[in-house]
């Protein structure tokens, strides 16, 4: 962040509020965006709030972006924006540099959401904004700095957009507590790096252990969580519920059909990993299928 000229930066509300701010400044009712689910759900939500249509391009196997389909959509339907997330939420996959460059070559504004980039081995593309007038890169203090409840995000924008964004941004959207916490995080980068390195190390250990669980298929992740497909006769929601009620361990399960057979596990401390693995090993027999309430 420090090496990006201020004329390209906007710091303020949480990253999801920045997504809404961008849409308010760019979209007119009836315009469209490209969304590549499963991904962060706020892109489609904010598009609907702003009266925009959503061109949905589902991801391929392994949660890869269907870049040829994105190209066709831009050429044929002329959306105003394409949203890319790297690492992606909920699976932690990265968009390759080749694919990103292909999308950036299209006549469309590309919003690259890097909320989890600190946990990746890949560099941020934030500096690209200074050379690419159709790229926005969003970042947040919510993840690596642990300030999720305080709502501090920031982004790098084309210089031609920044004045319009500042005019539209609400002036009082960051509290004193959030500002103080964000400044404190910026003054201690060594501590943040140490915490990040420990988390990445534990992520690797957790991924290896999850591979030995017979009813789970974990996906490699560059984020601070690991998405697992539940197989072997187990029911994903039942696994989630049993971990919570019998072991006091919370994992995420998704109601949407495209992810209904998955759980997502956040990376924690080594002792938390050990407790999780002990609980998972106790679930050897298929659990009763959980029935969703209407």
């Amino acid at each position: 962040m420090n090496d990006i000229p201020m004329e390209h930066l906007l710091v303020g509300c949480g990253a999801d509020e920045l997504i809404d701010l961008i849409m308010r400044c760019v979209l007119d009712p009836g315009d469209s965006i490209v969304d590549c689910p499963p991904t962060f759900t706020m892109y489609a939500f904010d598009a609907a709030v702003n009266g925009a249509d959503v061109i949905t391009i589902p991801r391929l196997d392994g949660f890869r972006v269907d870049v040829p389909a994105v190209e066709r959509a831009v050429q044929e339907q002329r959306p105003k924006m394409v949203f890319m997330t790297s690492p992606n939420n909920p699976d932690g996959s990265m968009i390759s540099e080749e694919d990103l460059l292909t999308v950036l070559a299209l006549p469309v504004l590309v919003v690259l959401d890097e909320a989890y980039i600190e946990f990746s081995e890949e560099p941020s593309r934030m500096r690209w904004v200074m050379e690419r007038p159709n790229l926005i890169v969003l970042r947040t203090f919510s993840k690596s700095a642990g300030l999720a409840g305080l709502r501090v995000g920031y982004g790098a924008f084309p210089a031609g957009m920044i004045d319009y964004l500042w005019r539209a941004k609400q002036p009082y959207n960051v509290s004193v507590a959030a500002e103080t916490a964000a400044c404190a995080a910026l003054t201690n980068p060594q501590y943040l790096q140490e915490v990040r390195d420990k988390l990445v190390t534990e992520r690797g250990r957790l991924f290896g252990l999850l591979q030995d669980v017979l009813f789970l298929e974990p996906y490699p992740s560059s984020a601070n969580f690991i998405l697992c497909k539940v197989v072997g006769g187990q029911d994903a929601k039942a696994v989630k519920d049993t971990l919570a009620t019998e072991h006091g361990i919370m994992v995420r399960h998704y109601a949407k059909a495209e992810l209904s057979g998955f759980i997502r596990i956040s990376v924690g401390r080594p002792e938390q990993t050990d407790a999780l693995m002990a609980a998972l090993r106790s679930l050897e027999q298929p659990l009763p299928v959980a029935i969703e309430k209407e």
Side-chain angles (χ1 to χ4, degrees):
M1 180 172 164
N2 292 337
D3 58 353
I4 306 295
M6 286 304 299
E7 60 264 27
H8 288 278
L9 283 174
L10 187 151
V11 183
C13 48
D16 46 354
E17 286 92 350
L18 284 179
I19 293 167
D20 177 67
L21 174 63
I22 294 165
M23 291 193 186
R24 285 193 283 118
C25 290
V26 173
L27 297 174
D28 291 317
D31 286 340
S32 61
I33 71 162
V34 170
D35 185 38
C36 302
T39 191
F40 188 40
T41 57
M42 290 304 294
Y43 311 140
F45 176 88
D46 283 329
V49 168
N50 285 278
D53 297 323
V54 178
I55 303 168
T56 300
I57 300 179
R59 289 176 178 256
L60 304 172
D61 291 343
F63 299 96
R64 293 176 296 114
V65 175
D66 189 346
V67 174
V70 173
E71 291 182 282
R72 289 193 298 272
V74 171
Q75 293 162 359
E76 296 171 3
Q77 302 184 59
R78 301 298 180 185
K80 283 282 188 73
M81 290 189 284
V82 172
F83 282 86
M84 298 279 120
T85 315
S86 188
N88 188 44
N89 175 4
D91 66 287
S93 63
M94 300 289 294
I95 184 170
S96 70
E97 182 170 313
E98 179 182 2
D99 284 346
L100 180 57
L101 288 172
T102 298
V103 177
L104 283 169
L106 300 171
V108 68
L109 180 63
V110 179
V111 181
L112 179 63
D113 188 341
E114 291 189 335
Y116 297 93
I117 193 64
E118 289 89 350
F119 305 110
S120 169
E121 303 299 335
E122 297 291 328
S124 169
R125 310 303 182 191
M126 183 166 275
R127 288 187 60 83
W128 288 18
V129 170
M130 294 184 289
E131 302 172 357
R132 299 181 181 278
N134 66 325
L135 175 63
I136 294 172
V137 178
L138 301 180
R139 301 279 293 276
T140 180
F141 285 84
S142 294
K143 313 307 178 185
S144 66
L147 304 184
L150 294 176
R151 317 301 303 147
V152 186
Y154 60 102
F157 300 83
M161 287 186 63
I162 203 75
D163 286 343
Y164 297 98
L165 293 164
W166 277 114
R167 292 177 202 172
K169 187 177 91 63
Q170 296 181 10
Y172 307 114
N173 56 0
V174 178
S175 67
V176 172
E179 183 177 344
T180 302
C183 289
L186 290 173
T187 62
N188 199 350
Q190 181 177 351
Y191 172 75
L192 294 181
Q193 185 66 36
E194 290 173 357
V195 172
R196 178 265 179 200
D197 291 344
K198 289 179 180 178
L199 186 144
V200 169
T201 297
E202 189 61 19
R203 181 183 68 199
R205 185 173 84 97
L206 175 60
F207 181 77
L209 292 170
L210 291 172
Q211 287 181 302
D212 293 331
V213 178
L214 295 180
F215 59 88
L216 294 181
E217 293 180 358
Y219 285 77
S221 174
S222 293
N224 62 344
F225 50 75
I226 297 176
L227 185 73
C228 299
K229 186 176 182 179
V230 179
V231 296
Q234 296 279 20
D235 176 73
K237 189 174 188 304
V239 170
K240 177 253 187 186
D241 290 343
T242 302
L243 288 174
T245 58
E246 296 185 11
H247 302 277
I249 296 173
M250 301 298 295
V251 300
R252 184 165 183 178
H253 170 262
Y254 298 86
K256 288 192 172 183
E258 61 194 2
L259 288 170
S260 63
F262 292 80
I263 59 173
R264 197 185 77 179
I265 300 170
S266 295
V267 182
R269 297 175 179 270
E271 59 269 25
Q272 294 169 327
T273 297
D274 294 340
L276 168 69
M277 296 310 302
L280 289 172
R281 293 188 187 102
S282 72
L283 307 182
E284 295 179 352
Q285 300 299 320
L287 297 167
V289 175
I291 304 300
E292 296 277 4
K293 294 183 179 180
E294 295 295 334

